[in-house]
Amino acid sequence: MTNGRYARRRGLVARHAARPPRLLSGRGLVVLATAAGVVAACVLGAVWSVAHDERPAHASSAQTASPAPVETPPGSIESLPVPQFEVVVAEDPCASPAAAAAGDAAAVVAAFGGAEEFREAAAEGASCIRLDDPTQPWVVVNKQRPVNPIDYAPEVMVPAGTRSLVGGGLRPDAAAALDALVADAAASGAGDVALQSGYRSYQTQVSTFQGQIGALGEEGAEAISARPGFSEHQLGLAADVVACTSGSCGTIYDIAGTPQGDWIVENAWRHGWIVRYESGHTDTTGYNPEPWHLRYIGVELAQAYHEGGYHTLEEFFGLPAAPDYAD
């Protein structure tokens, strides 16, 4: 890394150590060397070059005579401090035990000094932050970045406190976070939120994508659905949610503009979720707006995402836009 806050954290720290001060003098020139700079005092009414002892060509014999030695007045300071630099290398967060703690995402973020520092380090290519690691909440999957490995399958569970319409599950950390979001929305008076779709295996996405092609054609399907191996749902970190009223739930297409949908836009980050595909950012994500598609990235990163005014994970981590597949 060569720039940014992460680079500065790893940069060289200069410390001053005072040495006994000294007096530098030459013919007609007294130089006081200090840590703050060099102060030159001209004496005897003429300044000769200290390095070459040069004199004006027209100088008389009286002028060219060697000046009397400069005497230090009694009680004066004879020398001043000269700076000395000690190089200290800051600890590399990637080498810390916390950063190496697989599965403890919060410890990794903390090892970098917080979410914003972590984001900057990731954008600058920190070696220990793998944005293709499907086990971490910061993994980025898009049309240019497939799930790796392609057949990855996480441990999933049905959220305990959220109504799951088709019995879909999420990774345990995401399931707990969705329960917290749903409970907060209800307590805030926004209304009930249910899970329409969570984890989908690679094989399930094969049939889902083929069904969309049959209904919309390939181009239409790719605007709203991911190819197998390129879906966030395969991570167990994506949740399609719906709004429910009096026990009856609408479709995913109905949530925009509802009290639940508006509350999610404003508050989902508090529980580690972001709206992954926002309106106006199809050129970056490659997908039509999906106000129902939430993506879990962890509370710390979601807060940084929200406070930084980001709208896509690509922008957040400094990645290229991914509107189309590589082939």
Side-chain angles (χ1 to χ4, degrees), residues 10-304:
R10 299 187 58 194
L12 301 181
V13 181
R15 297 178 179 171
H16 289 272
R19 286 180 176 173
R22 57 180 178 169
L23 175 69
L24 306 179
S25 64
R27 296 175 183 261
L29 178 67
V30 177
V31 180
L32 300 181
T34 71
V38 176
V39 179
C42 299
V43 296
L44 302 180
V47 178
W48 308 126
S49 169
V50 175
H52 302 290
D53 197 23
E54 294 176 354
R55 298 171 174 80
H58 62 276
S60 67
S61 59
Q63 291 174 320
T64 58
S66 298
V70 178
E71 295 182 359
T72 304
S76 65
I77 298 175
E78 296 185 357
S79 56
L80 293 174
V82 175
Q84 180 183 9
F85 295 95
E86 177 187 356
V87 175
V88 178
V89 180
E91 180 185 359
D92 180 359
C94 284
S96 71
D104 192 348
V108 177
V109 172
F112 281 86
E116 179 56 25
E117 291 79 4
F118 177 91
R119 184 201 69 77
E120 288 187 1
E124 294 173 6
S127 61
C128 60
I129 303 176
R130 286 186 50 203
L131 296 178
D132 64 345
D133 183 352
T135 68
Q136 296 292 359
W138 51 75
V139 60
V140 180
V141 169
N142 57 33
K143 292 183 177 182
Q144 296 287 321
R145 302 172 62 90
V147 179
N148 182 25
I150 200 73
D151 59 350
Y152 170 74
E155 174 191 354
V156 297
M157 60 177 289
V158 176
T162 300
R163 182 178 178 183
S164 181
L165 300 183
V166 294
L170 295 168
R171 259 178 40 169
D173 51 350
L178 186 63
D179 283 342
L181 181 152
V182 169
D184 195 9
S188 299
D192 296 329
V193 176
L195 176 64
Q196 173 66 45
S197 179
Y199 168 70
R200 296 183 206 141
S201 69
Y202 177 91
Q203 290 301 325
T204 298
Q205 192 65 23
V206 169
S207 59
T208 298
F209 186 66
Q210 288 300 320
Q212 296 290 3
I213 289 178
L216 303 171
E218 185 171 358
E219 183 177 351
E222 290 186 345
I224 65 170
S225 182
R227 292 179 183 179
F230 291 83
S231 173
E232 287 193 328
H233 284 282
Q234 189 178 336
L235 302 170
L237 297 172
D240 291 345
V241 297
V242 296
C244 304
T245 305
S246 301
S248 176
C249 299
T251 71
I252 55 176
Y253 305 106
D254 300 324
I255 194 169
T258 64
Q260 294 95 321
D262 292 342
W263 186 92
I264 285 171
V265 169
E266 294 296 326
N267 299 282
W269 63 271
R270 300 180 188 278
H271 302 285
W273 296 91
I274 63 171
V275 177
R276 178 66 169 101
Y277 306 121
E278 295 186 35
S279 177
H281 298 279
T282 298
D283 288 346
T284 298
T285 66
Y287 295 104
N288 290 346
E290 296 187 0
W292 60 85
H293 182 106
L294 306 185
R295 166 62 199 278
Y296 180 72
I297 61 174
V299 174
E300 296 85 358
L301 292 180
Q303 180 175 351

Side-chain angles (χ1 to χ4, degrees), residues 314-327:
E314 290 77 14
E315 177 189 14
F316 186 64
F317 284 125
L319 297 172
D324 300 298
Y325 293 99
D327 57 356

